[in-house]
Amino acid sequence: MAKVVCVLYDDPIDGMPKSYARDDLPKITHYADGQKLPTPKGIDFNPGELLGSVSGELGLRKYLEANGHELIVTSSKDGPDSELEKHLHDAEVVISQPFWPAYLTAERIAKAPKLKLALTAGIGSDHVNLDAAVEHGITVAEVTFCNSISVAEHVVMMIVSQVRNYLPSYDWVNKGGWNIADCVARSYDVEGMHIGTVAAGRIGLAVLRRLKPWDVHLHYFDRHRLPEAVEKELNLTWHDSVEDMVKVCDVVTINAPLHSETLNLFDEKMISKMKRGAYIINTARGKIVDRDAIVRACESGQLAGYAGDVWFPQPAPKDHPWRTMPHHGMTPHISGTSLSAQARYAAGTREILECYFEGRPIRDEYLIVQGGKLAGVGARSYASGDSTKDVDTTPGFRKAN
């Protein structure tokens, strides 16, 4: 019997939904690059249900308990008195989400001698100290591509929202106003703008494809250059450095994984190279940008706006300066956890668990670390390192939930 600890975000404040806005989900048969959707032997949930919160349990309880395993589901993840910390000593599998990450630091991994699998229900495993996982022989896996399009749609929404000054205009309506001049004083057209993505993997490329019909100029930086046919199809301009790209862009969207090469990439120096009045959209990871440099740039006007849904730590403390800085469009980390995405990442989590417990190979595209080294998609997308650094210095991590 294995103990499986599953860390999920809290239920809705009014309890789990008794009904949903829609009766079904569109049928998706394949991903854009031809990769198959998750293929578990079975699922114990209805697609379209809220699966990512504590009561949803990713639809895993029936399967795990039927096979003799113990499932612990909790939202309590930070601090020495958290439920996660209490169960680390005998946990064999820890499941977490990027939206409510269970930070597996080197110290925590050292407290978990039985830990064999760190599984991300979603995309992005930077909440795991990958160096420590390599050292301890822990497999790290995530459900690659399950919510890439969900995030890409969120990016496009945020670009348009920022450029058109949508959120302040919506606020005027809620306040009973009809202040047209106040609304349009910061409103522009997206048409004709130069928009660039830092990284053009699954999410970044999906963003570029969705923006092509908007009659904009598209740019990208990626250490793996796209095929010439794709560049011609989308009329893309490739840049050999982020610095070179940001100089010409009106909007920069960050779609890169967090690792040692992207940590703090957008600091004061990088932001100073951008056009005055440009926008940054960040649905990748909060630590890719310098928190306070972003605040100063929004206050000074170097940035016309900053939008995203990724913070550090997560959940963000109430006094996080991004909550109150001017011209922001921040949301909680929701871009990749729509009900549509949840059906896919819950099924992918089930597939990975089936493979693990049955001794079958986990799909190469799901692997981040295996056999004491970066593996699968992890070898292409990540560099070795520790993105959990400094999480234990935050107030939320030090205290019990």
Side-chain angles (χ1 to χ4, degrees):
M1 181 187 80
K3 176 181 278 190
V4 178
V5 180
C6 186
V7 178
L8 303 176
Y9 48 78
D10 290 315
D11 289 346
I13 58 174
D14 294 326
M16 291 292 281
K18 294 180 173 57
S19 63
Y20 291 88
R22 294 181 51 83
D23 295 330
D24 57 15
L25 298 178
K27 303 297 182 185
I28 307 297
T29 59
H30 63 279
Y31 295 128
D33 66 352
Q35 178 183 317
K36 293 181 181 178
L37 268 69
T39 55
K41 293 181 178 179
I43 58 173
D44 297 309
F45 60 82
N46 295 315
E49 293 178 347
L50 180 56
L51 302 168
S53 68
V54 169
S55 293
E57 300 183 324
L58 296 180
L60 293 174
R61 185 168 297 279
K62 183 177 179 181
Y63 159 70
L64 288 170
E65 291 185 347
N67 286 276
H69 305 300
E70 179 184 5
L71 175 63
I72 305 294
V73 182
T74 183
S75 63
S76 173
K77 66 186 184 69
D78 295 331
D81 297 322
S82 65
E83 285 299 307
L84 171 62
E85 196 92 11
K86 292 177 184 178
H87 291 283
L88 279 175
H89 71 282
D90 61 348
E92 184 171 328
V93 179
V94 172
I95 302 170
S96 183
Q97 300 169 299
F99 332 108
W100 192 263
Y103 293 104
L104 291 179
T105 62
E107 293 76 15
R108 279 183 159 175
I109 287 174
K111 297 176 184 177
K114 295 184 178 181
L115 184 61
K116 297 292 187 291
L117 174 64
L119 203 169
T120 301
I123 301 172
S125 296
D126 48 272
H127 54 277
V128 180
N129 183 326
L130 298 183
D131 285 351
V134 166
E135 180 183 348
H136 289 264
I138 297 167
T139 295
V140 181
E142 61 186 49
V143 192
T144 305
F145 220 150
C146 65
N147 55 5
S148 297
I149 302 306
S150 312
V151 177
E153 290 181 359
H154 203 87
V155 171
V156 174
M157 175 189 74
M158 284 186 154
I159 291 173
V160 180
S161 176
Q162 283 286 291
V163 174
R164 296 305 299 261
N165 203 38
Y166 168 73
L167 291 174
S169 304
Y170 174 78
D171 284 342
W172 277 115
V173 171
N174 283 339
K175 290 184 289 189
W178 193 261
N179 301 54
I180 292 176
D182 294 280
C183 295
V184 303
R186 297 183 64 86
S187 178
Y188 301 88
D189 291 347
V190 176
E191 181 183 21
M193 284 189 165
H194 289 257
I195 302 177
T197 176
V198 179
R202 294 174 176 87
I203 296 173
L205 182 57
V207 170
L208 294 171
R209 288 193 182 281
R210 280 151 181 77
L211 289 173
K212 176 65 164 63
W214 288 71
D215 292 327
V216 294
H217 306 278
L218 296 175
H219 304 255
Y220 80 99
F221 162 79
D222 197 297
R223 60 185 182 181
H224 305 287
R225 190 166 179 176
L226 293 169
E228 183 179 358
V230 175
E231 291 187 348
K232 288 184 177 179
E233 174 195 355
L234 300 179
N235 194 23
L236 303 178
T237 300
W238 176 73
H239 298 262
D240 62 6
S241 71
V242 177
E243 293 87 346
D244 183 63
M245 186 188 78
V246 301
K247 291 176 183 177
V248 301
C249 287
D250 302 287
V251 180
V252 174
T253 169
I254 303 171
N255 300 292
L258 174 62
H259 51 75
S260 58
E261 295 176 11
T262 59
L263 180 66
N264 215 35
L265 177 63
F266 277 79
D267 56 9
E268 198 97 45
K269 183 177 179 181
M270 182 68 75
I271 295 171
S272 72
K273 297 178 184 295
M274 299 178 68
K275 296 170 67 173
R276 192 192 75 83
Y279 306 83
I280 293 178
I281 311 297
N282 182 13
T283 57
R285 287 297 180 265
K287 290 181 77 173
I288 294 177
V289 304
D290 180 314
R291 184 195 70 175
D292 296 331
I294 292 293
V295 175
R296 289 191 293 270
C298 286
E299 291 175 343
S300 71
Q302 175 61 19
L303 289 178
Y306 179 89
D309 71 339
V310 287
W311 313 63
F312 183 81
Q314 294 191 158
K318 291 182 179 180
D319 62 352
H320 196 294
W322 289 356
R323 293 182 184 269
T324 54
M325 68 183 176
H327 315 308
H328 80 79
M330 295 301 297
T331 58
H333 195 167
I334 59 170
S335 62
T337 189
S338 63
L339 295 180
S340 306
Q342 288 180 39
R344 294 188 291 271
Y345 70 64
T349 300
R350 169 77 176 259
E351 178 189 342
I352 291 169
L353 288 172
E354 288 176 354
C355 291
Y356 172 74
F357 286 123
E358 295 169 17
R360 294 186 285 115
I362 297 171
R363 283 201 225 180
D364 195 58
E365 59 259 36
Y366 289 164
L367 290 172
I368 305 299
V369 172
Q370 190 177 58
K373 61 182 179 180
L374 291 171
V377 72
R380 176 182 173 86
S381 302
Y382 287 83
S384 61
D386 173 20
S387 299
T388 68
K389 185 179 180 183
D390 298 329
V391 69
D392 56 356
T393 67
T394 62
F397 196 90
R398 290 198 302 266
K399 67 183 181 182
N401 283 4

